Amino acid sequence: MTLVEIRDYRLAFDTFDGTLHVLDGIDLALEAGQTLGIVGETGCGKSVLARSLLRLNESPPARVVSGAILFEGQDVLALPERAMRRLRGRRIAMVFQDPASYLNPLLSIGTQMEDAIRGQESAAGEAKRPRRAIRDHAAGLLASVGLAEPHRLLDSHPHQLSGGMRQRVLIAMALAGNPSVLVADEPTTALDVTVQAQVLALIAGLVKERGLALMLISHDLGVVAASCARVAVMYAGTVVEEAPTAALLANPRHPYAQGLIAAVPDIDNPAHKPRGIPGSIPNLLKPPTGCRFHPRCALATDICRSTKPALRELAPAHRVACHHATPEHPGP
Amino acid sequence: MFAYLLRRFALAGLMLFGLICLTFVIANVAPSDPAVLAAGPDAGKAQIEQARREYGLDKPLPVQFLRYVGDLARGDFGRSIATGRPVGSDLARYFPATLELCIVAMTIGLVVGISLGMLSALFKDQWLDHLTRIFAVSGIALPPFWFGLLLQLGFAVWLGWLPTSGRIGVSTDPGDPITGMLLVDALLRGDGALFWQGLSYIVLPALVLSLPCLASILRVNRSEMVEALRADYITSARAHGVSRWRLVTVHALKNAMIPTLAIIGLRWGWMMSSTVLVETVFDWPGIGLYAVSSAIAGDFKPVMGVTLIVGLNFMLVNLVVDLLYGVLDPRLRDA
């Protein structure tokens, strides 16, 4: 069953300097229980896309140009705020990048969790539960993400916790409404390497245990490869390739995806020198015409400069947006 | 936390000493000769010299300073040369009136300033925000004496709703002071009529006094709220389903209140000293009016006393503000 379907979604940011064309025709789907990774460089629009699911992009400056984001068949972009609040936390939950800044420094963990639970319950029109029941609920959530002494933790403040603990608290909060989709926006970027592995294992465990659909945003191919069955590669606001993770890593078709994978250092083969992609990401105030990657692409021809390539299914479940990718000759 | 408190108190003590030095120096560089005032208008040279000896004004300045500090330590602010009354008991009579005025004005400033600041942040760059911006700028720019006269003209002379000036009607007996604050005393005695009358007298001066304070609280609170509402923790709280009301009034406001608190402390000190103008316009019997009439007469002891009280009050309020930071911010409590 398709839980989330993003159709030709275009989003722009109106700024003083002009209009930033941040997302340009995104087509993606997330099935129930599926894990989808989204990779791309900083500024390619992956976080903005993730936030769009819960309509968290502040508007203005954000402006939906076209498209739809369907959750269980209803367009979240068209929902009134009241209905949107019923989705937040209850159906789609989100974990953020830097747990230090995404937790309120002045409020105790308990207050923040209580407010989230109460907010969800009142949005759903449920009866008010006594405070004790809500605190027990919150403590149970903290325990379920592997935090010891959950009741004591409810009275502490974010600055008293380590980075890893804070991220666990945010994950526990995201689970409060028993959602069916978890959107994780760079959940490990701000953490130490050892803690990264623990948090990823925790997310993978929860996904399995609760049958969550996961959308994991990362700039780290390794993180996505370890936790996602499918992966979509984004470049300058477009999805350039989407495939099962193993297929993409072994056989990338899009020149940008090939460049990304060639840029990863190989620990087993020190002779292999990582290669960078020449050029830099385009200015989204005036994005390149046609294929947004063409100014950096060695294979670019006239059609790349004039026409935007559509996502085409080259192999089963393997879609590529490149004029030069063909089924016979996988990638140029 | 205890060490922090101790440090704050030690610092306050030092500041108090500085303040005492300053008031002493200012009083002694003033161009008038208090001995001439004390001796009276028709006094001869000998009488002036006698007055000088009587008040200890013939002693060298360091000796006078030590006597001044010693007297202060015993709670003795000296005597007014013009009236002969002890300054301490004058202050006890006039200070509660000023304090009452400032408390009412600050309450108006806090309630209106914070709520309008919050609303302006929520409706940023919309008509409400523009309206409060114009209001705040004029609130800071309007001279209080002019604005006071305008209100007197409007509400007292034209509409006749409120009394023009004073603290209580001339024929009303406010009774013996308990706290010295008329409204509080009226409440303590359960005298509703007196309370309402006191309120009708205090409204206009309090409004005038509160306006600049209200305006700066509004502006600071607005910009801090705008900042807080954009913060990452607000995005995540929204994503987790926290209600909009809690988001604004607790999650964002608490963060916005820390810088706002600093302004409130400063404004309180400023208010105490700017009562001089307001009390003169509204004939409010507080320390401002007392200081002005004494200063005009060249009577320096009351001026020193008022300066000291106003400074002390400022210090105390800033101490309280520092403690409130600790209440608001758990990171400071642990530091």
Side-chain angles (χ1 to χ4, degrees):
Chain A
M1 188 184 75
T2 306
L3 270 182
V4 181
E5 193 181 347
I6 304 170
R7 281 192 200 154
D8 190 36
Y9 180 51
R10 279 163 222 268
L11 187 79
F13 278 74
D14 296 315
T15 69
F16 281 121
D17 299 327
T19 302
L20 285 166
H21 304 276
V22 178
L23 295 177
D24 186 37
I26 303 287
D27 280 299
L28 273 177
L30 183 63
E31 306 289 323
Q34 194 190 44
T35 52
L36 173 69
I38 294 181
V39 291
E41 292 169 79
T42 305
C44 72
K46 40 189 202 313
S47 288
V48 173
L49 178 64
R51 281 162 193 235
S52 296
L53 261 56
L54 282 170
R55 230 168 60 197
L56 293 176
N57 292 307
E58 207 60 54
S59 171
R63 172 166 56 85
V64 175
V65 180
S66 70
I69 297 178
L70 305 177
F71 176 76
E72 291 179 334
Q74 59 181 162
D75 187 359
V76 299
L77 300 177
L79 282 181
E81 187 63 24
R82 184 169 277 281
M84 195 64 226
R85 273 194 53 212
R86 284 198 284 271
L87 292 187
R88 292 192 184 123
R90 272 295 169 91
R91 310 310 315 275
I92 311 176
M94 192 153 175
V95 175
F96 294 88
Q97 181 167 355
D98 179 6
S101 65
Y102 282 93
L103 282 170
N104 197 320
L106 304 189
L107 301 179
S108 70
I109 305 296
T111 305
Q112 299 188 51
M113 295 191 76
E114 273 173 52
D115 281 359
I117 295 168
R118 277 206 194 287
Q120 292 170 10
E121 287 177 352
S122 80
E126 289 162 16
K128 246 184 133 175
R129 284 195 286 165
R131 183 154 183 262
R132 171 154 224 112
I134 289 187
R135 278 181 84 85
D136 286 344
H137 180 180
L141 289 165
L142 291 175
S144 75
V145 296
L147 288 165
E149 295 188 79
H151 271 102
R152 211 175 54 93
L153 206 58
L154 287 178
D155 292 323
S156 51
H157 287 84
H159 72 278
Q160 294 161 323
L161 313 181
S162 71
M165 285 167 87
R166 286 197 281 247
Q167 191 58 288
R168 280 172 195 266
V169 168
L170 270 180
I171 294 172
M173 277 190 205
L175 297 175
N178 206 9
S180 44
V181 179
L182 182 66
V183 181
D185 184 8
E186 307 253 8
T188 57
T189 306
L191 305 175
D192 294 338
V193 181
T194 45
V195 184
Q196 276 190 21
Q198 290 169 14
V199 168
L200 282 179
L202 171 69
I203 291 176
L206 290 168
V207 164
K208 216 167 157 189
E209 195 180 297
R210 294 170 173 248
L212 290 169
L214 175 72
M215 185 187 266
L216 179 74
I217 317 293
S218 183
H219 65 272
D220 188 339
L221 271 173
V223 165
V224 169
S227 12
C228 298
R230 293 182 64 75
V231 57
V233 180
M234 280 184 71
Y235 180 78
T238 56
V239 173
V240 294
E241 185 162 355
E242 192 213 344
T245 308
L248 186 114
L249 291 177
N251 192 11
R253 305 286 185 92
H254 194 281
Y256 176 67
Q258 292 168 349
L260 266 191
I261 289 163
V264 178
D266 187 348
I267 200 164
D268 299 319
N269 182 9
H272 166 84
K273 284 270 186 297
R275 273 177 297 129
I277 303 170
S280 56
I281 50 171
N283 178 359
L284 294 179
L285 282 173
K286 262 193 87 163
T289 53
C291 172
R292 284 190 171 185
F293 187 59
H294 84 253
R296 301 171 73 182
C297 183
L299 304 164
T301 54
D302 282 344
I303 189 171
C304 305
R305 285 181 268 273
S306 62
T307 312
K308 188 190 167 200
L311 269 176
R312 292 176 296 144
E313 188 145 1
L314 290 192
H318 193 146
R319 301 190 301 156
V320 185
C322 176
H323 293 300
H324 298 290
T326 52
E328 299 81 43
H329 306 288
Chain B
M1 190 70 197
F2 182 71
Y4 170 76
L5 265 182
L6 215 66
R7 208 163 52 235
R8 297 300 318 173
F9 275 114
L11 216 61
L14 264 174
M15 274 162 63
L16 181 60
F17 182 72
L19 186 67
I20 290 171
C21 294
L22 210 64
T23 50
F24 183 78
V25 169
I26 290 170
N28 278 283
V29 296
S32 72
D33 186 350
V36 176
L37 178 69
D42 303 322
K45 234 182 161 61
Q47 282 152 308
I48 292 177
E49 283 314 308
Q50 195 197 335
R52 202 182 295 285
R53 271 194 304 281
E54 227 171 80
Y55 284 95
L57 296 167
D58 55 335
K59 301 273 190 322
L61 279 181
V63 176
Q64 283 190 46
F65 179 69
L66 284 180
R67 274 180 59 173
Y68 172 58
V69 176
D71 287 348
L72 278 183
R74 287 195 307 274
D76 180 2
F77 287 86
R79 266 171 194 287
S80 158
I81 291 171
T83 63
R85 278 204 306 267
V87 172
S89 64
D90 278 355
L91 286 178
R93 203 164 84 214
Y94 297 129
F95 183 68
T98 296
L99 190 64
E100 184 173 37
L101 184 62
C102 286
I103 290 174
V104 174
M106 187 47 96
T107 310
I108 298 175
L110 284 178
V111 173
V112 182
I114 291 174
S115 34
L116 280 186
M118 236 158 62
L119 282 174
S120 315
L122 282 176
F123 298 101
K124 183 172 165 287
D125 295 331
Q126 294 173 34
W127 63 267
L128 182 82
D129 187 26
H130 297 312
L131 213 67
T132 63
R133 182 177 297 127
I134 295 168
F135 174 61
V137 170
S138 30
I140 291 171
L142 283 180
F145 52 86
W146 181 79
F147 183 54
L149 289 173
L150 213 65
L151 286 186
Q152 283 177 332
L153 197 64
F155 286 95
V157 180
W158 289 345
L159 294 173
W161 291 349
L162 296 166
T164 330
S165 62
R167 195 180 179 199
I168 197 79
V170 273
S171 53
T172 312
D173 176 23
D176 287 326
I178 305 172
T179 62
M181 284 186 273
L182 201 95
L183 295 180
V184 180
D185 288 357
L187 280 183
L188 286 177
R189 289 206 187 85
D191 187 344
L194 183 66
F195 181 80
W196 283 112
Q197 194 187 96
L199 208 59
S200 73
Y201 274 89
I202 209 169
V203 165
L204 291 184
L207 219 64
V208 174
L209 192 59
S210 78
L211 196 63
C213 158
L214 187 161
S216 52
I217 292 176
L218 191 161
R219 290 304 295 168
V220 172
N221 195 245
R222 175 205 174 265
S223 63
E224 292 302 326
M225 274 300 282
V226 166
E227 196 75 15
L229 285 168
R230 265 204 293 252
D232 289 343
Y233 51 79
I234 293 297
T235 307
S236 64
R238 270 179 74 206
H240 292 140
V242 176
S243 73
R244 183 141 182 85
W245 176 254
R246 288 286 292 179
L247 214 60
V248 172
T249 58
V250 179
H251 290 237
L253 184 60
K254 211 170 174 194
N255 281 275
M257 273 315 285
I258 292 180
T260 310
L261 205 54
I263 284 294
I264 294 170
L266 287 174
R267 276 291 163 182
W268 175 264
W270 179 91
M271 206 182 240
M272 275 271 161
S273 45
S274 69
T275 50
V276 171
L277 284 175
V278 177
E279 286 180 8
T280 309
V281 171
F282 285 94
D283 200 22
W284 186 263
I287 53 169
L289 201 58
Y290 177 57
V292 169
S293 48
S294 305
I296 289 170
D299 193 355
F300 72 105
K301 282 286 184 193
V303 178
M304 284 166 82
V306 168
T307 312
L308 207 59
I309 286 289
V310 169
L312 199 66
N313 182 278
F314 199 8
M315 277 167 45
L316 274 177
V317 163
N318 278 289
L319 200 66
V320 171
V321 164
D322 281 345
L323 294 181
L324 283 178
Y325 281 139
V327 173
L328 272 182
D329 193 340
R331 289 167 296 187
L332 286 178
R333 281 205 292 275
D334 292 350

